[in-house]
Amino acid sequence: MVPWISTHQYIRANPPTESLAEIPKKSKYISHESAIKLIKREKDPHRVLKLFKMVANQKGFNHNHSTYAVTLHKLACLKEFEHVDSVLHQMTYETCRFHESIFINLMAHFSKSSLHNRVVEMFNAIQPIVREKPSLKAISTCLNLLVDSNQIGLARSFLLHTKTTLGLHPNTCILNILVKHHCKNGNLESAFDVVKEMKLSDASYPNLITYSTLMDGLCEKGRLEEAINLFEEMVSKEKIIPDALTYNILINGFCRGGKVDRAIKIVDFMKKNGCNPNVFNYSTLMNGFCKEGNLLEAKRVFIEMKDEGLHLDKIGYTTFINCLCRAGEIDEAIGFLKEMEEKDHITCNIILVGLCKYDRTYEALEMLQRLAYEDVYLDKCSYRIVLNSLCKLGDLQKATGLVGVMASRGFLPHFATSNELLVGLCEGGSVVDAAMVLAVLVQMRFNPEPRVWSRLVEVMCRERRLLATFELVDMLTKDGVN
């Protein structure tokens, strides 16, 4: 029989060569990939910096482009720009190779924060740290951010700097950004001045995008004849072949200008010159006919689209369904809705509006209920369209039921509709329903007009519902209604 030996006796008889505290714990080495994952997960800027410094203290570890990139991106997202500057300063002492993408990303962050001078600073930091001249992509990104922020003076001085200091000459893509900006602001004369400068160099000579942008600017101003003349100059003189997008600018311009007959000629010209109209071209033309109230021609264009073997997408169907609904052909519109492979709330809302407009509100309500079970996403507008129509009809019972459905799906009715529904219920003697509706709406942060809830309290007091009145007042004051 083996004698029992206590733990204390065993340890005294066999003392350990070293204590547990003295046994070194094997530390886990954090690789670059692991460091990147850890930094990406962090939401606290101080912990981001702590992680960044901690991994750098590991033996044999040196930060690379990727760890710097993710750290700077994270700090910039958190708007910790002082910390961004300290990390950038550290980069100047690193020997690893960096890519300009870090600075392009930071340009976007500074632009979003309206720190426009910092956008240029990030561009200027590329050459000292990356040790290469910035690419044309970096120039176009910086210029585009400045132009979109309406920093035209800064944009022009930036371009001058790239020419004189860096010896970088802007190409067509870069100068197209300036053309786009001037056209967007309606300053077409300045846009044409830029194009004159572009023609002085082969590297920046105007291309299809340049002319398309100018034509779009002219069409926006209603200068359609000038747009056509520019189109002819582009084709005959510059030998630039237009694409479907360029044609669509002219088609849209003439349709909006009430000259659909000219738009048809553009489409015919497209076909004769080997550029087959696409869904967008036909949809634009259909819209033009719809605005004129010419449903017959809109149908002809729709049928032609199908005959051409074009795969009708949501844009094509939605445009045509909108034409039908405007003309009161609701049943036909519903028929085409059933043809659609992917139904969306925009198309469905068009039909709901059409049904309500032509006194078919109950059909709209039925459609609303049915679509919810057919995997069609409906937005708050879908429910508001029908609710507004029910209130106008005075069917407060169905309106009350629909408010309950909306609340269960997180949709709040229009402010005015909610107030009118509550007043209508009060005046119709449905005080209990009014109180119930108000309770539901207040939970969704609805703040009724003072006249509405004071009217409700008045009616409830008159009907001697004192307890319910006190509860209602308590609920309203507790939720900050005054």
Side-chain angles (χ1 to χ4, degrees), residues 44-86:
D44 182 353
H46 298 290
R47 284 190 57 80
V48 170
L49 286 171
K50 188 177 178 181
L51 275 167
F52 182 76
K53 292 173 183 176
M54 183 187 74
V55 293
N57 290 330
Q58 298 178 115
K59 190 176 180 180
F61 185 98
N62 290 304
H63 279 297
N64 60 14
H65 167 85
S66 299
T67 53
Y68 268 104
V70 72
T71 302
L72 286 167
H73 176 70
K74 195 72 183 181
L75 291 171
C77 285
L78 296 168
K79 299 191 183 299
E80 294 289 336
F81 295 125
E82 285 187 16
H83 294 318
V84 166
D85 290 338
S86 66

Side-chain angles (χ1 to χ4, degrees), residues 61-124:
F61 185 98
N62 290 304
H63 279 297
N64 60 14
H65 167 85
S66 299
T67 53
Y68 268 104
V70 72
T71 302
L72 286 167
H73 176 70
K74 195 72 183 181
L75 291 171
C77 285
L78 296 168
K79 299 191 183 299
E80 294 289 336
F81 295 125
E82 285 187 16
H83 294 318
V84 166
D85 290 338
S86 66
V87 175
L88 286 172
H89 180 71
Q90 188 174 328
M91 287 172 70
T92 59
Y93 298 101
E94 291 283 2
T95 56
C96 68
R97 191 171 184 81
F98 294 109
H99 189 266
E100 69 176 17
S101 57
I102 287 180
F103 299 94
I104 291 174
N105 182 46
L106 287 174
M107 284 182 214
H109 282 294
F110 282 120
S111 180
K112 284 178 187 176
S113 300
S114 300
L115 299 169
H116 308 298
N117 286 321
R118 297 301 309 273
V119 175
V120 179
E121 280 180 26
M122 289 305 100
F123 176 86
N124 292 334

Side-chain angles (χ1 to χ4, degrees), residues 412 414-416 418-420 422-423 434 437-439 441-456 472 475-477 479-482:
L412 185 66
H414 279 119
F415 179 73
S418 301
N419 284 299
E420 291 308 314
L422 290 167
V423 170
V437 170
L438 182 56
L441 294 174
V442 168
Q443 285 178 354
M444 297 177 71
R445 312 308 301 166
F446 168 73
N447 190 346
E449 292 177 349
R451 69 177 179 92
V452 173
W453 71 270
S454 61
R455 174 70 173 146
L456 184 56
L472 176 63
M475 175 186 67
L476 291 169
T477 53
D479 284 50
V481 180
N482 47 55

Side-chain angles (χ1 to χ4, degrees), residues 262-275:
R262 295 286 299 275
I264 295 171
K265 290 179 181 178
I266 299 292
V267 174
D268 291 338
F269 184 85
M270 283 180 74
K271 294 175 184 175
K272 289 176 184 176
N273 287 273
C275 184

Side-chain angles (χ1 to χ4, degrees), residues 233-380:
E233 178 190 320
M234 179 188 78
V235 174
S236 59
K237 185 178 177 182
E238 301 295 343
K239 308 299 180 188
I240 296 173
I241 299 172
D243 60 9
L245 181 62
T246 308
Y247 280 114
N248 205 57
I249 289 168
L250 294 175
I251 295 167
N252 190 41
F254 281 111
C255 284
R256 282 189 307 175
K259 299 180 179 179
V260 188
D261 55 329
R262 295 286 299 275
I264 295 171
K265 290 179 181 178
I266 299 292
V267 174
D268 291 338
F269 184 85
M270 283 180 74
K271 294 175 184 175
K272 289 176 184 176
N273 287 273
C275 184
N276 295 322
N278 60 23
V279 172
F280 295 99
N281 303 137
Y282 280 119
S283 296
T284 304
L285 193 58
M286 268 197 301
N287 241 347
F289 282 123
C290 179
K291 285 178 181 177
E292 283 194 343
N294 195 339
L295 182 60
L296 190 64
E297 281 298 311
K299 284 184 179 180
R300 182 190 64 76
V301 174
F302 184 79
I303 293 166
E304 188 178 329
M305 288 171 72
K306 282 190 163 186
D307 292 343
E308 290 292 331
L310 289 172
H311 177 69
L312 295 178
D313 60 1
K314 284 190 288 189
I315 295 171
Y317 270 109
T318 301
T319 303
F320 186 52
I321 286 170
N322 191 34
C323 291
L324 291 168
C325 287
R326 284 183 182 180
E329 302 289 340
I330 312 298
D331 292 323
E332 196 172 353
I334 293 171
F336 282 107
L337 178 68
K338 291 175 182 176
E339 281 187 15
M340 291 180 69
E341 292 179 6
E342 292 181 39
K343 302 177 182 68
D344 66 358
H345 62 281
I346 296 172
T347 317
C348 293
N349 288 354
I350 290 170
I351 292 180
L352 290 172
V353 169
L355 285 168
C356 292
K357 181 182 176 182
Y358 288 96
D359 302 323
R360 297 168 65 175
T361 301
Y362 294 111
E363 289 178 60
L365 179 60
E366 184 185 340
M367 178 181 168
L368 191 70
Q369 294 166 338
R370 187 180 69 253
L371 288 172
Y373 296 98
E374 293 181 3
D375 295 328
V376 179
Y377 171 76
L378 299 171
D379 64 355
K380 64 183 177 183

Side-chain angles (χ1 to χ4, degrees), residues 100 104 107 123 126 134-146 158-159 162-163 166 168-171 174 177:
E100 69 176 17
I104 291 174
M107 284 182 214
F123 176 86
I126 292 174
S135 67
L136 289 172
K137 179 184 177 181
I139 298 174
S140 61
T141 301
C142 186
L143 182 64
N144 204 28
L145 290 170
L146 294 173
F158 165 73
L159 278 178
T162 58
K163 282 183 184 178
L166 299 175
L168 296 169
H169 296 279
N171 61 5
I174 292 167
I177 295 169

